[in-house]
Amino acid sequence: MKIYIAGPISGYKNGNREAFTVAEEKLNQVSGNVILNPSKLPKGLSESEYMDICMAMIRCADAIYLLNGWKASAGASAEYAIAYKLGLKIMIQN
């Protein structure tokens, strides 16, 4: 399964990369999963460019994994809405 990780990035220390990495490691425990981790995108793009890339990643995914705090993030909320509309499996971090 291809799983996109969504969560807050802006305003977090180091772009919240630690939370994304922990989630990626957890999701990789199931053999065959392909993890789409937006925290690994290069620095230096505009927010709209990041969102454009992330929307393409979501369109390729089978599921979205929502990190804690995702509802407070405009970007992650938009990603959730697209995933929901596309019928992706919704997974929420415990």
Side-chain angles (χ1 to χ4, degrees):
M1 182 170 12
K2 295 179 292 274
I3 306 168
Y4 177 85
I5 302 171
I9 293 177
S10 297
Y12 279 72
K13 180 182 176 188
N14 198 25
N16 205 18
R17 280 185 170 81
E18 183 178 335
F20 280 83
T21 300
V22 168
E24 181 176 9
E25 290 169 357
K26 175 185 176 181
L27 295 167
N28 267 328
Q29 291 177 357
V30 176
S31 180
N33 279 346
V34 175
I35 310 306
L36 304 170
N37 184 345
S39 77
K40 292 187 173 182
L41 293 172
K43 293 181 181 182
L45 301 175
S46 70
E47 189 168 343
S48 65
E49 290 169 329
Y50 284 119
M51 287 304 297
D52 190 38
I53 293 166
C54 291
M55 290 299 150
M57 292 167 67
I58 291 168
R59 289 191 304 270
C60 295
D62 303 305
I64 186 169
Y65 183 84
L66 300 164
L67 295 177
N68 293 332
W70 72 272
K71 288 182 182 180
S73 166
S77 294
E79 292 166 341
Y80 163 79
I82 295 296
Y84 179 82
K85 185 69 173 173
L86 294 175
L88 275 59
K89 179 179 179 179
I90 307 296
M91 305 164 71
I92 300 174
Q93 183 179 38
N94 298 338

